Amino acid sequence: MKTNWTLTIDCADPAVVARFWCTALGYTEADPPSGWDTWEDWLTALNVPEDEWNDGASISDPDGILPSISFLKVPEPRTVKNRLHLDLQAAGGRAEPQHLREERIRAKAETLLTAGATLIREVPMENSTTLDHLWLQDPEGNDFCVV
């Protein structure tokens, strides 16, 4: 039997990280629970103190196809390289001409750098100087690649 799932990213500021990933993935803020016009209305009805409203965030694929992603506030900072990361597939695949692949990778990365990402390293193809992908981090240092 299939198990439904979402991806959860631990972070210090869920709202900031969620906004970044909306830009990166073309996602939108998740809708509030059914019957509520806004998240604020829902949180108020549940008597959640306002200083806890940024303890979590959720984003979703506007087409409803891809998994949702949640962001959970945690007290500890990230201390080691992620063992799991997202690859944003911007290039169109290895069948595309290399100059076009690189142009697409760099264009996507530029958008993300403007949104708060940090470039860690340009990664060449094995035994080559030709760009394979870019290794970046989101505003809180979570690793991802643009390929």
Side-chain angles (χ1 to χ4, degrees):
M1 175 169 44
K2 176 179 90 166
T3 301
N4 290 333
W5 61 277
T6 64
L7 179 67
T8 300
I9 298 174
D10 292 345
C11 54
D13 191 337
V16 166
V17 181
R19 275 193 303 274
F20 172 82
W21 284 103
C22 279
T23 299
L25 301 174
Y27 274 41
T28 58
E29 179 182 3
D31 290 332
S34 182
W36 301 98
D37 292 331
T38 67
W39 281 104
E40 291 78 13
D41 291 344
W42 182 76
L43 291 164
T44 300
L46 292 178
N47 296 316
V48 175
E50 200 167 327
D51 65 339
E52 294 178 15
W53 286 10
N54 191 33
D55 283 359
S58 182
I59 64 174
S60 57
D61 172 11
D63 297 327
I65 298 169
L66 300 173
S68 297
I69 302 175
S70 299
F71 302 87
L72 181 63
K73 186 176 186 173
V74 296
E76 67 278 352
R78 192 194 106 165
T79 57
V80 297
K81 184 179 183 292
N82 300 43
R83 293 298 304 256
L84 172 71
H85 70 270
L86 297 181
D87 282 346
L88 306 185
Q89 299 175 350
R94 293 199 187 271
E96 294 291 331
Q98 179 58 30
H99 74 277
L100 184 56
R101 291 183 71 242
E102 184 169 338
E103 183 179 301
R104 290 173 178 168
I105 289 169
R106 292 190 186 284
K108 182 67 173 183
E110 186 59 38
T111 297
L112 300 174
L113 291 166
T114 300
T118 302
L119 175 64
I120 301 303
R121 185 162 55 102
E122 294 192 13
V123 181
M125 291 183 177
E126 191 170 330
N127 300 317
S128 173
T129 58
T130 303
L131 180 68
D132 184 61
H133 65 276
L134 298 175
W135 171 13
L136 295 98
Q137 291 180 337
D138 75 8
E140 289 200 4
N142 297 300
D143 298 303
F144 67 97
C145 294
V146 178
V147 299

